[in-house]
Amino acid sequence: MSPFAESLRALRLRRGIRQKELAKNLGYEQSYLSALEMGSKGPPTDRFVHRLTEVLALSGPELAAIRNAARASQRRYSLPASSNPALFELYSELWRELPRLSESQIRVIREVIKMNGTPHPQSPVGRSVLENTEEDMQM
């Protein structure tokens, strides 16, 4: 189940509204709302989120949470054509392995992503070779 599916269902249940009633108030078919809650439909349009905000009178934090859940539920991504070839290779490898990743592997990958922008001490790879200066050569 996607993050959006979980969030939408939880939001509806907290409000004590039946799927059929919410769908009617939103102006959508119940089957569409059901598919969203089951995660069989991709994240909704901005129009749907806007209607949801109006109908359920979402607070600022609730709106932010539902938007974040929709963003996290995205299923299709594309790389800019100008991307480094290594990025294409990484994306391809990761895409093939996603269905087999364990929870611990997912946590590790997420921790690596969080490191982006954090200064890291650079460990030397291999051995360092010092060049001789003119002063060293005269000795």
Side-chain angles (χ1 to χ4, degrees):
M1 185 178 292
S2 72
F4 182 79
E6 289 179 345
S7 294
L8 178 60
R9 179 173 165 73
L11 189 59
R12 181 179 61 77
L13 292 175
R14 277 196 310 273
R15 293 292 203 282
I17 302 172
R18 298 181 69 119
Q19 245 184 24
K20 186 175 186 174
E21 180 185 351
L22 180 57
K24 180 182 175 190
N25 292 342
L26 290 170
Y28 288 87
E29 296 290 326
Q30 181 183 354
S31 60
Y32 178 68
L33 190 60
S34 175
L36 283 174
E37 285 190 9
M38 295 297 294
S40 59
K41 286 279 185 197
T45 62
D46 288 338
R47 180 177 176 261
F48 179 90
V49 173
H50 179 73
R51 285 291 301 143
L52 188 66
T53 301
E54 291 178 337
V55 168
L56 295 181
L58 297 182
S59 67
E62 288 173 324
L63 176 58
I66 204 79
R67 282 187 176 155
N68 287 338
R71 195 173 307 113
S73 298
Q74 192 67 24
R75 294 182 185 176
R76 295 177 191 246
Y77 296 91
S78 62
L79 296 173
S82 60
S83 295
N84 181 319
L87 185 59
F88 279 93
E89 291 170 9
L90 174 63
Y91 183 84
S92 177
E93 289 172 38
L94 188 56
W95 184 254
R96 282 191 308 272
E97 295 300 320
L98 283 176
R100 293 184 288 279
L101 292 177
S102 68
E103 289 294 322
S104 60
Q105 289 172 310
I106 292 169
R107 275 195 304 278
V108 168
I109 291 169
R110 293 184 83 185
E111 287 302 317
V112 169
I113 291 169
K114 287 178 187 175
M115 291 170 44
N116 188 22
T118 305
H120 310 292
Q122 294 294 322
S123 302
V125 178
R127 63 184 183 123
S128 298
V129 177
L130 297 176
E131 292 184 21
N132 290 332
T133 62
E134 283 185 40
E135 191 176 284
D136 292 335
M137 294 189 338
Q138 289 176 357
M139 292 183 162

